[in-house]
Amino acid sequence: MLFNSYEFIFAFLPFTWLIYRIILGARYAEASIAWLVLASLFFYGWWNPAYLFLIVASMSANFIIGLFLEDFSRPPVLRKALLILGVSLNLGLLGYYKYTGFILENAIWLFHISIDVPQIVLPLAISFFTFQQIAYLSDAYRGEMKEYNFLHYCLFVSFFPQLIAGPIVHHKEMMPQFASIRGWSVRSSDYAAGLSFFIIGLFKKVVIADNLALFATPVFDAADSGASLSMFVAWSGALAYTFQLYFDFSGYADMAIGAARLFGIRLPFNFNSPYKAKNITEFWRRWHMTLSRFLRDYLYIPLGGNRKGANRRYVNLMITMLLGGLWHGAGWNFVIWGALHGGYLVINHGWHSLSRKLTFTRRLPLGRWSSSLAISLTFFAVVIGWVFFRAETTSGAFLMLESMLAINSPEEIDVFHNLGPGFCIKAGIWILPAALVALLLPNSQEMIDSYKASNQYSLGSVCIPSLSAGAWALAVSVMYVVALVNLGGLSEFLYFQF
Amino acid sequence: MTLVKAVSSPNYLTNLIIGLLSFTALVPIINILVDPTEVFGTDVFPHSFQINDRFRKTEHLLENRDKYSGFLMGSSRMGYIDPSLFSSKLNRGEAYNLNLSSANVWDYLEMTRFLLKEGFDIELLVVQMDITLHYGDRLRYQHHPRFDGTSRTRFFVNNLFSFPYKSLAGKIWFNLIGRDSVQMEWTTGLRSRPWEEASIKRDHEAYLKHEVSFSRKKEPWQRGIREEFKSATDKSVLAVRELLLLGQEYDFSIYVFVTPHNQHYLDDFSWEEFQYFLVSLSEITEFWCFAGYNSITTDDRNFYESSHYRPFVGALVSQRLLQDRNLRTAEDFGVFISPSSLREALDGLRFGFEKKR
């Protein structure tokens, strides 16, 4: 069930909320949590009920292993062995479903062997709930976990707003909220914020992202089919995808945050205007923030982080980003994308080290123009990365890059009747406003939730008018109806494949 | 007030809920009342503008499974041929004009497969071929949910909550001025254009003068074969081949003909393209070709506009297809093309092109 579907908006969400409120109103807090678990499992099983067994088994096994791990009376060797077993089981499951095909295909290519590659269907959300549970096991081993009950644990893993595509929640931020659910504790401002988040997210996904997809898809399809494109067409496709991905994924995150807030649960924010970042390190603090947090806490820091010298730090960054790339998908393009971002981070940290040593850089003017230059450079680097992220084939990605950099010969350019100058103009009509919103306006959490301003150059105060509560309600309602009438053409969230 | 402050105001939530509920109710009410694509059949606005004929015709056929055994497959141009003329060729049912807006051969093929899957006992298919530059974007069109294998509820919910503003505005406007873009007779599948026929009856010369497609500026003549044309033709011919194989498998007859394209429509294609189309088609089947510059297609009085011919032209086409001996029409209207007659037919058609251009 997609958030941007009639089933979810008109049936599942209102019904689940209504029963939840009735149970909570009768002061059965644990029953209300049990209801949310049931509803979440129904939500998960809507696609394919066969997947239910997998997630229930995974939750049960991890909870039991967690119980053993948090018992410090057991021998350390046994606890460590159990941790390794638990993490291996989680990674093994993820590896089997997600990477078997990729590994076998590469083995066939490398060793010229003949093996049938099995068609394994990737269970929904496995990448997300695997990470959440690995974090849970690691914290249990480190003794950073309080005693939790199974019902709360199940809700932590399966809570439907965050189940399918994150945010990747941490037990420390969720379990205390479940434990404190009481009676009519959800305030009207939670409903107001929840509905507003959900509607703004729906608008971002259905109206902005889905329309940008109409310009990204044909360009990447053409490149993947071996076509050499003109520079303008290639840039139109790359920029359309850059903003499509942001509005799609951040729209989904807004919907998740909004839906959760209706139940009185606060999910962590996942995006903070990433394209306003002045360097790549800042970009990763603003993009898919909960994934960055996981990779930092459970991969980069355990690898040694920056504690073992500069060279080791760069190696750790590369490993973290390569694995981060692979987490997004089993394909060489994702590996290249990860490596590219690892390289960006190494360069960024190297530059910072160097500039600390070079005295003249301290005298460089760091005003508005240099900030704009830094934002532009970071944005350019990110767009190049997205080309690998989006292209189906490596050759398609390189063809896109050749076209974007205009290093393909004009004679090679394939002229498509539907990818001419008119296409670029139409694409621009969507890309330009999307860019203005993403780069200059405050983001949804800044607008709704007094979130710390993401960038001092935000034009929010200039562009966002001061309206009465009624006028704001009308504006959000209009966003809702515009999204609603565009819902008919259902499409998958881009992040579902991960 | 900023949105952050508004969110904490009690007025905001109340107004927001009222706004959401109002819009959620308003959109379906408008759709049901206006019925922009005629899927609800409410008839509050009786004159039509855009009709989802794919849904309505499939719905009719599914409700009358045993009634029809012959189908006229084509784009909207096919809509002016009376299917009852083909009854003599049928033993087990009537003929139905299954013309669909902007359909191409892919649609005919998929529709035939659908009818066979639904258990229709097909005896005859009459397939109209259009000469076209594009194979068409079938995804634009909303099919019957049973055809798509999707839920009927979802189909109606999608239509309830969509907002096809052009169709809504067009339908309201057409009802204000009291005209139909086209009328559909669902029991036969026929189209009719009463508004145009009335205008023609009043003053045919004035009608021709005001119809812009008859007086549009001529582009320079095409030369050679465009890639898009070749690709569209190859795909069309491939789909006809699939249809012929289905005919053999399920034992039904297929008549193929090339539509009588108006001269202004034909002006957009080169002789080489026209020839490529006919030769490609002749490699897989015999067929009647009514296109080309002949005495019917060069007389704009036989057409509503440069795309659609009038019903009596449709009657001439069917008489030719049925080899009616009482036929009284121009000798040059319709050429039967088979491997043995191809060369001679092409010579005649090329002569028409050379004379016109």
Side-chain angles (χ1 to χ4, degrees):
Chain A
M1 198 182 308
L2 298 169
F3 286 173
N4 59 321
S5 67
Y6 298 119
E7 294 95 324
F8 184 83
I9 294 170
F10 293 141
F12 180 82
L13 186 61
F15 181 71
T16 306
W17 178 83
L18 188 69
I19 302 294
Y20 174 76
R21 288 309 320 174
I22 291 169
I23 299 172
L24 210 53
R27 298 181 187 282
Y28 294 116
E30 286 302 296
S32 68
I33 288 178
W35 166 248
L36 284 184
V37 172
L38 267 179
S40 298
L41 292 177
F42 174 82
F43 175 84
Y44 189 76
W46 180 261
W47 260 289
N48 187 346
Y51 290 167
L52 272 176
F53 172 76
L54 185 82
I55 192 170
V56 170
S58 171
M59 288 190 301
S60 307
N62 278 292
F63 183 74
I64 292 167
I65 294 171
L67 284 181
F68 280 101
L69 288 176
E70 67 178 343
D71 183 357
F72 275 77
S73 64
R74 293 176 192 280
V77 179
L78 179 66
R79 289 181 61 251
K80 188 152 196 169
L82 266 175
L83 174 69
I84 292 168
L85 175 73
V87 172
S88 304
L89 277 176
N90 280 298
L91 291 179
L93 201 67
L94 183 64
Y96 170 74
Y97 282 109
K98 196 161 180 174
Y99 302 106
T100 304
F102 177 64
I103 292 167
L104 288 179
E105 279 165 13
N106 282 286
I108 291 167
W109 175 76
L110 199 61
F111 303 113
H112 305 287
I113 48 175
S114 173
I115 319 167
D116 284 333
V117 180
Q119 295 298 312
I120 301 170
V121 179
L122 184 68
L124 215 56
I126 192 169
S127 305
F128 289 90
F129 68 69
T130 299
F131 269 25
Q132 286 178 204
Q133 299 194 101
I134 287 174
Y136 175 82
L137 294 182
S138 304
D139 290 352
Y141 177 75
R142 293 197 293 234
E144 294 175 4
M145 210 176 68
K146 292 176 185 167
E147 198 175 317
Y148 300 134
N149 73 38
F150 183 57
L151 202 57
H152 290 198
Y153 180 78
C154 287
L155 188 58
F156 152 65
V157 177
S158 69
F159 186 40
F160 70 87
Q162 53 83 37
L163 175 61
I164 305 299
I168 300 172
V169 293
H170 197 276
H171 58 92
K172 282 180 189 166
E173 65 202 357
M174 299 304 287
M175 299 294 212
Q177 294 192 66
F178 300 152
S180 64
I181 286 176
R182 297 278 180 276
W184 291 95
S185 59
V186 190
R187 294 169 300 169
S188 66
S189 61
D190 282 325
Y191 297 134
L195 283 172
S196 307
F197 265 120
F198 190 86
I199 290 163
I200 288 176
L202 188 69
F203 185 86
K204 283 161 81 175
K205 157 68 188 158
V206 174
V207 180
I208 305 177
D210 286 359
N211 278 296
L212 284 166
L214 300 176
F215 301 100
T217 305
V219 176
F220 279 93
D221 284 353
D224 281 324
S225 68
S228 185
L229 304 161
S230 75
M231 187 179 78
F232 290 110
V233 168
W235 271 104
S236 299
L239 288 174
Y241 182 69
T242 298
F243 292 109
Q244 179 205 348
L245 185 63
Y246 169 63
F247 283 104
D248 189 286
F249 195 16
S250 71
Y252 176 85
D254 287 345
M255 281 190 268
I257 288 164
R261 189 72 79 85
L262 295 175
F263 296 87
I265 305 293
R266 282 176 180 257
L267 294 182
F269 292 126
N270 218 11
F271 289 88
N272 184 20
S273 302
Y275 296 145
K276 293 175 188 170
K278 292 199 227 28
N279 58 56
I280 204 72
T281 308
E282 192 188 340
F283 172 80
W284 278 105
R285 288 193 194 118
R286 292 165 173 267
W287 178 272
H288 205 171
M289 292 146 74
T290 55
L291 174 68
S292 303
R293 179 179 67 176
F294 178 89
L295 292 175
R296 183 196 63 203
D297 293 348
Y298 297 97
L299 189 56
Y300 176 68
I301 291 175
L303 281 171
N306 56 5
R307 300 187 305 275
K308 297 183 179 175
N311 289 341
R312 182 61 192 271
R313 177 194 210 177
Y314 300 150
V315 171
N316 292 340
L317 280 171
M318 283 304 292
I319 293 171
T320 304
M321 294 314 292
L322 277 170
L323 291 175
L326 258 182
W327 177 84
H328 281 86
W332 284 109
N333 273 11
F334 291 108
V335 177
I336 295 171
W337 175 76
L340 206 54
H341 273 273
Y344 292 161
L345 286 168
V346 168
I347 292 167
N348 184 240
H349 285 286
W351 169 254
H352 278 292
S353 305
L354 191 66
S355 62
R356 273 195 293 272
K357 289 174 193 159
L358 299 173
T359 49
F360 78 89
T361 56
R362 290 180 203 150
R363 293 196 296 272
L364 286 176
L366 290 171
R368 175 166 293 204
W369 286 109
S370 60
S371 287
S372 301
L373 186 68
I375 291 170
S376 306
L377 189 63
T378 308
F379 182 75
F380 177 78
V382 169
V383 174
I384 299 298
W386 290 143
V387 170
F388 288 95
F389 195 85
R390 171 61 179 80
E392 297 283 334
T393 61
T394 309
S395 59
F398 281 109
L399 264 176
M400 274 291 287
L401 286 184
E402 276 179 21
S403 306
M404 286 164 73
L405 301 174
I407 52 175
N408 51 349
S409 91
E411 294 82 47
E412 288 173 1
I413 293 172
D414 292 300
V415 181
F416 293 87
H417 66 265
N418 56 345
L419 290 184
F423 175 86
C424 297
I425 292 166
K426 285 182 200 161
I429 290 171
W430 280 96
I431 292 168
L432 199 63
L436 290 174
V437 172
L439 292 165
L440 298 175
L441 292 190
N443 56 49
S444 40
Q445 57 256 33
E446 289 167 348
M447 286 181 70
I448 300 169
D449 222 24
S450 303
Y451 194 77
K452 189 170 62 115
S454 57
N455 193 308
Q456 58 177 314
Y457 302 110
S458 168
L459 291 185
S461 54
V462 180
C463 298
I464 307 287
S466 179
L467 299 172
S468 68
W472 273 119
L474 181 65
V476 175
S477 301
V478 169
M479 288 177 88
Y480 160 77
V481 75
V482 173
L484 180 70
V485 299
N486 280 284
L487 270 187
L490 284 180
S491 65
E492 299 286 321
F493 284 106
L494 294 180
Y495 255 70
F496 276 21
Q497 59 186 296
F498 309 122
Chain B
M1 185 188 296
T2 60
L3 183 55
V4 177
K5 283 187 182 158
V7 164
S8 34
S9 147
N11 279 347
Y12 175 78
L13 184 61
T14 313
N15 288 326
L16 182 61
I17 290 171
I18 291 169
L20 298 184
L21 292 177
S22 306
F23 279 127
T24 306
L26 190 65
V27 174
I29 288 169
I30 292 172
N31 276 316
I32 289 173
L33 278 179
V34 180
D35 198 5
T37 54
E38 318 245 326
V39 294
F40 298 110
T42 30
D43 274 346
V44 176
F45 289 77
H47 296 286
S48 57
F49 179 68
Q50 289 278 334
I51 305 173
N52 185 341
D53 51 355
R54 282 166 172 76
F55 172 76
R56 290 292 294 265
K57 286 191 171 173
T58 309
E59 188 83 342
H60 175 78
L61 289 174
L62 290 173
E63 285 166 4
N64 297 274
R65 283 168 195 272
D66 300 326
K67 193 174 172 187
Y68 304 105
S69 62
F71 298 93
L72 279 63
M73 301 272 191
S75 63
S76 55
R77 292 184 190 104
M78 179 67 130
Y80 303 94
I81 297 183
D82 184 353
S84 67
L85 296 169
F86 291 86
S87 297
S88 61
K89 295 285 174 188
L90 302 172
N91 298 316
R92 301 191 289 270
E94 297 172 23
Y96 189 77
N97 192 325
L98 193 46
N99 70 86
L100 301 170
S101 306
S102 303
N104 59 36
V105 197
W106 180 89
D107 289 270
Y108 320 154
L109 176 63
E110 289 303 306
M111 189 51 87
T112 306
R113 284 180 177 148
F114 171 73
L115 293 174
L116 290 168
K117 193 183 87 184
E118 289 292 328
F120 281 79
D121 183 9
I122 302 176
E123 286 182 87
L124 172 70
L125 282 190
V126 181
V127 176
Q128 170 213 264
M129 299 288 292
D130 296 320
I131 296 172
T132 175
L133 195 58
H134 306 301
Y135 192 60
D137 178 4
R138 61 183 185 261
L139 295 174
R140 276 191 297 147
Y141 304 105
Q142 194 184 30
H143 288 272
H144 192 281
R146 203 169 170 102
F147 179 93
D148 281 340
T150 54
S151 134
R152 193 175 173 83
T153 311
R154 174 173 292 283
F155 175 84
F156 282 108
V157 170
N158 275 344
N159 278 281
L160 273 180
F161 289 103
S162 65
F163 197 76
Y165 60 95
K166 283 183 188 167
S167 300
L168 283 163
K171 184 154 184 189
I172 291 168
W173 173 246
F174 268 43
N175 276 275
L176 284 173
I177 61 171
R179 71 169 278 198
D180 291 277
S181 62
V182 65
Q183 279 187 357
M184 296 272 196
E185 172 53 58
W186 301 117
T187 53
T188 59
L190 268 171
R191 287 167 183 256
S192 60
R193 310 262 286 257
W195 189 87
E196 279 84 353
E197 284 295 345
S199 302
I200 288 168
K201 202 172 174 184
R202 269 199 308 277
D203 186 346
H204 205 158
E205 288 309 313
Y207 177 88
L208 294 175
K209 201 173 157 190
H210 286 105
E211 174 46 54
V212 287
S213 65
F214 292 142
S215 52
R216 72 189 167 99
K217 190 171 167 260
K218 287 278 176 294
E219 300 292 332
W221 301 118
Q222 284 294 330
R223 300 264 176 237
I225 304 174
R226 286 166 286 184
E227 265 312 304
E228 305 100 292
F229 181 86
K230 190 170 179 297
S231 164
T233 302
D234 292 348
K235 285 176 187 166
S236 298
V237 170
L238 203 64
V240 175
R241 187 193 296 272
E242 293 284 312
L243 268 174
L244 294 168
L245 290 173
L246 276 181
Q248 281 172 13
E249 189 182 346
Y250 289 91
D251 193 25
F252 56 79
S253 314
I254 301 182
Y255 293 176
V256 178
F257 75 93
V258 180
T259 204
H261 285 300
N262 176 269
Q263 55 177 335
H264 302 285
Y265 181 94
L266 211 54
D267 285 349
D268 290 338
F269 300 93
S270 68
W271 161 252
E272 290 80 6
E273 288 174 336
F274 189 63
Q275 179 178 242
Y276 181 81
F277 181 89
L278 298 180
V279 171
S280 302
L281 193 56
S282 73
E283 284 168 2
I284 58 163
T285 185
E286 298 176 334
F287 60 96
W288 278 91
C289 174
F290 298 100
Y293 296 102
N294 55 52
S295 48
I296 298 290
T297 58
T298 53
D299 186 347
D300 292 341
R301 287 175 301 177
N302 297 325
F303 293 82
Y304 291 120
E305 9 68 21
S306 65
S307 186
H308 297 91
Y309 52 82
R310 293 175 60 202
F312 77 90
V313 177
L316 296 178
V317 168
S318 54
Q319 283 170 332
R320 277 275 192 231
L321 292 176
L322 295 164
Q323 294 171 319
D324 185 343
R325 290 172 189 200
N326 299 321
L327 179 68
R328 286 185 185 174
T329 185
E331 278 298 311
D332 66 345
F333 183 58
V335 187
F336 185 71
I337 298 185
S338 65
S340 59
S341 68
L342 177 67
R343 189 53 43 209
E344 191 185 343
L346 287 177
D347 286 344
L349 290 164
R350 182 165 48 222
F351 178 71
F353 267 73
E354 284 166 358
K355 203 167 123 189
K356 175 79 190 335
R357 299 181 177 187

